[in-house]
């Protein structure tokens, strides 16, 4: 049975929280060296929409996160999540 700690919204015993869509988008964009304006133009959205997603003002839909990462940035989403976890580990 898997226990969930509702206070932190992660599995008990799991050392790393799942990254948010905002974190994934920001890290992937920076890995590719794109600006928010370039990213938004390639994906067909307004720059302010992407900015709001990355700043956690609005939550992006997961299909938007995946499509941006894989179709615009040409990165594997699991590799991006791994890099986020690596960064978190090196920060601690």
């Amino acid at each position: 049975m898997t226990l969930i700690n509702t206070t932190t919204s992660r599995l008990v015993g799991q050392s790393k929280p799942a990254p948010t869509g905002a974190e994934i988008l920001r890290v992937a964009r920076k890995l590719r060296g794109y600006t928010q304006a370039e990213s938004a133009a390639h994906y067909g959205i307004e720059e302010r929409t992407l900015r709001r997603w990355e700043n956690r003002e609005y939550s992006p839909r997961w299909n938007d996160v995946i499509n941006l990462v894989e179709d615009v940035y040409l990165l594997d989403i699991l590799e991006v999540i791994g890099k986020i976890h690596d960064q978190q580990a090196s920060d601690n």
Side-chain angles (χ1 to χ4, degrees):
M1 177 192 315
T2 304
L3 299 175
I4 297 182
N5 181 335
T6 57
T7 306
T8 59
S9 298
R10 63 181 182 196
L11 297 175
V12 173
Q14 184 181 15
S15 62
K16 302 169 199 160
T20 64
E23 290 173 297
I24 293 168
L25 289 175
R26 187 173 39 257
V27 168
R29 180 177 59 78
K30 289 182 178 183
L31 283 170
R32 294 298 290 164
Y34 282 37
T35 65
Q36 287 178 334
E38 292 168 330
S39 299
H42 285 291
Y43 193 55
I45 59 174
E46 293 187 24
E47 180 183 355
R48 69 180 173 183
T49 299
L50 182 61
R51 184 178 60 248
R52 288 174 176 166
W53 287 348
E54 288 189 10
N55 291 334
R56 298 182 183 165
E57 294 174 34
Y58 296 106
S59 295
R61 295 177 310 190
W62 279 108
N63 63 323
D64 288 320
V65 174
I66 293 166
N67 288 336
L68 265 163
V69 170
E70 295 190 348
D71 297 341
V72 174
Y73 304 134
L74 304 176
L75 297 169
D76 180 74
I77 193 146
L78 295 177
E79 290 180 22
V80 175
I81 292 170
K83 290 191 182 297
I84 291 169
H85 286 305
D86 292 345
Q87 288 174 355
Q88 290 171 346
S90 67
D91 291 344
N92 293 331

